[in-house]
Amino acid sequence: MNKKIKLLLGIGFALFLLAFTVIYFKFFASNTNLNKVEVYVTIPTNSNYEEAKKIVFPFIENISGFELMASLRKYDKNVKSGRFLIKKGMGNFALVATLRKNIPVNLAFNNQERLQNLCARVSSQIEPDTTKLIAAFTDATFLKENQFNKDNVFSIFIPNSYEFYWNVSAEKFRDKMLSEYKKFWTKERLIKAKRLNMTPVEVITLASIVHKETVKADERPKVAKVYLNRLEQGMPLQADPTVIYSLKLRDNNFDQVIKRVLYNDLLIASPYNTYVNIGLPPGPIAMPDISAIDAVLSPDNNDYIYFCASIERFGYHEFASTYAQHQLNAAKYSKWLNEQGTKR
């Protein structure tokens, strides 16, 4: 009797070990086929199980083991869209678990010059394509409700780092940007804008010019004041960055690099050309960073009307209150450009 019991126990233990081994290899042993430590996969909205399998298949060693786990855990009936992280060494249990955990995207943007360029950049990081994003931001109802138009809705973007799920809709992305825009315009900033007799959109439009004029944050309040002085006196802004923007817009080429504005460029017929039009352009010519916006809201105290790039303090400018002094500064800079061979 004892021998039979021991035999049965031995057989039972062996079967347990066998079952444990089978379960381990089916469920928990590595079933990934990765050449690197980890990889992100994206599963589009409304994907079915077969479509999801095609996306993850290149990263799985044995698809039948994955299919068994997917069936047992009902993933095959409940596929989730989003961005998912597959790590080297994951077993089938972990693979199914990770395909249920949508990983957010840290989305950052700056230095964009117009809505189309920004939407193209954003669309490379989330699911909605460029067309859907542009359509969301230029939707007539959205623009009317929030007092924007197609020329100035670009003002809505405040450069920063934001967290989104990859499968966020174009409309939800837009609404989040609007929410961040409203949060940025605190009571203090709104009061400062009112003192300047400017709307937030007008502040951002001027800040975009200041941003393009100088990369030096400590000089931006001084540049901002020059432009505010011109606006106050009814002078044209005569901002070279607006001419450059007009040229790029005319050519529909925002990749071109224009280092020198020529005399004939100043005559280009464009609502963005502040040499031929009084006041601000229809909307921002770039996405100004926060330092440029705050420079407009808290400008320097000066009576300068003119400024020109400095050849002695590169990156900075020489300022003048009179046109005669400005001509001297401009002549120095023009001579320096000629000596460098800079023609465009």
Side-chain angles (χ1 to χ4, degrees):
M1 181 64 75
N2 289 336
K3 287 183 178 181
K4 286 183 179 180
I5 292 173
K6 288 180 179 180
L7 178 61
L8 289 172
L9 288 173
I11 292 172
F13 184 69
L15 290 173
F16 171 77
L17 285 177
L18 178 62
F20 178 82
T21 302
V22 170
I23 291 172
Y24 175 80
F25 279 101
K26 282 284 186 182
F27 293 176
F28 302 107
S30 174
N31 191 26
T32 56
N33 180 27
L34 296 181
N35 295 322
K36 46 188 177 181
V37 176
E38 60 186 33
V39 64
Y40 284 97
V41 297
T42 52
I43 298 178
T45 301
N46 298 324
S47 293
N48 60 35
Y49 179 52
E50 291 303 317
E51 291 166 335
K53 272 201 306 181
K54 287 180 181 179
I55 293 168
V56 301
F57 179 76
F59 311 108
I60 294 178
E61 188 74 34
N62 185 336
I63 195 67
S64 63
F66 171 81
E67 288 178 323
L68 174 61
M69 178 59 69
S71 178
L72 288 172
R73 301 195 66 192
K74 299 186 179 354
Y75 174 76
D76 57 341
K77 301 290 192 297
N78 187 24
V79 172
K80 293 188 178 295
S81 61
R83 176 175 178 257
F84 307 98
L85 178 61
I86 296 177
K87 294 182 179 180
K88 191 171 186 176
M90 276 185 167
N92 293 314
F93 187 90
L95 283 167
V96 172
T98 201
L99 292 174
R100 285 176 166 156
K101 187 177 181 182
N102 197 356
I103 305 294
V105 175
N106 287 318
L107 186 62
F109 46 76
N110 56 18
N111 292 331
Q112 302 301 301
E113 292 181 292
R114 58 177 181 165
L115 181 64
Q116 293 90 327
N117 299 88
L118 175 71
C119 288
R121 178 170 175 176
V122 169
S123 70
S124 69
Q125 300 175 70
I126 59 176
E127 184 177 16
D129 61 21
T130 305
T131 302
K132 288 181 179 178
L133 289 169
I134 292 175
F137 283 100
T138 57
D139 175 73
T141 302
F142 170 79
L143 294 175
K144 184 177 180 180
E145 287 179 350
N146 295 286
Q147 298 180 317
F148 290 114
N149 58 48
K150 290 184 179 181
D151 293 320
N152 65 29
V153 70
F154 193 49
S155 306
I156 201 173
F157 297 100
I158 306 298
N160 210 331
S161 179
Y162 302 97
E163 189 174 89
F164 288 96
Y165 286 112
W166 175 81
N167 53 324
V168 64
S169 69
E171 290 74 22
K172 285 187 177 180
F173 173 77
R174 175 200 66 195
D175 293 345
K176 173 67 173 177
M177 290 295 94
L178 177 62
S179 174
E180 294 296 325
Y181 171 83
K182 289 179 177 179
K183 272 197 282 186
F184 174 80
W185 282 100
T186 60
K187 183 178 179 181
E188 181 183 1
R189 285 193 172 104
L190 288 172
I191 289 172
K192 288 181 177 181
K194 190 173 182 180
R195 285 174 184 163
L196 295 171
N197 198 28
M198 299 176 79
T199 66
V201 167
E202 289 172 333
V203 169
I204 289 178
T205 299
L206 182 55
S208 72
I209 299 173
V210 173
H211 176 96
K212 281 292 188 179
E213 282 286 11
T214 177
V215 297
K216 303 296 186 182
D218 60 331
E219 190 184 51
R220 284 175 172 170
K222 187 181 287 188
V223 172
K225 181 58 174 172
V226 171
Y227 285 129
L228 289 168
N229 289 341
R230 291 181 184 179
L231 287 173
E232 187 177 341
Q233 295 183 30
M235 293 176 60
L237 292 180
Q238 295 185 326
D240 286 0
T242 67
V243 176
I244 293 172
Y245 184 89
S246 299
L247 293 170
K248 290 181 176 182
L249 194 62
R250 179 197 65 188
D251 300 339
N252 193 29
N253 179 7
F254 278 76
D255 293 325
Q256 62 180 306
V257 177
I258 301 174
K259 295 182 178 180
R260 187 173 190 177
V261 173
L262 306 178
Y263 176 76
N264 285 340
D265 297 335
L266 306 181
L267 306 177
I268 183 173
S270 169
Y272 287 90
N273 182 358
T274 57
Y275 275 83
V276 296
N277 299 294
I278 301 291
L280 294 168
I285 61 167
M287 182 186 297
D289 63 27
I290 293 173
S291 75
I293 299 171
D294 284 340
V296 174
L297 292 172
S298 300
D300 184 46
N301 183 22
N302 66 62
D303 61 355
Y304 297 130
I305 298 296
Y306 308 100
F307 63 92
C308 177
S310 176
I311 62 173
E312 296 170 356
R313 301 176 303 134
F314 289 106
Y316 286 91
H317 294 79
E318 302 297 341
F319 294 81
S321 300
T322 66
Y323 186 60
Q325 182 59 53
H326 173 64
Q327 283 184 307
L328 293 176
N329 294 336
K332 289 180 183 178
Y333 182 62
S334 180
K335 180 183 177 183
W336 181 83
L337 283 177
N338 291 334
E339 289 173 350
Q340 305 307 306
T342 303
K343 296 182 179 179
R344 193 47 158 164

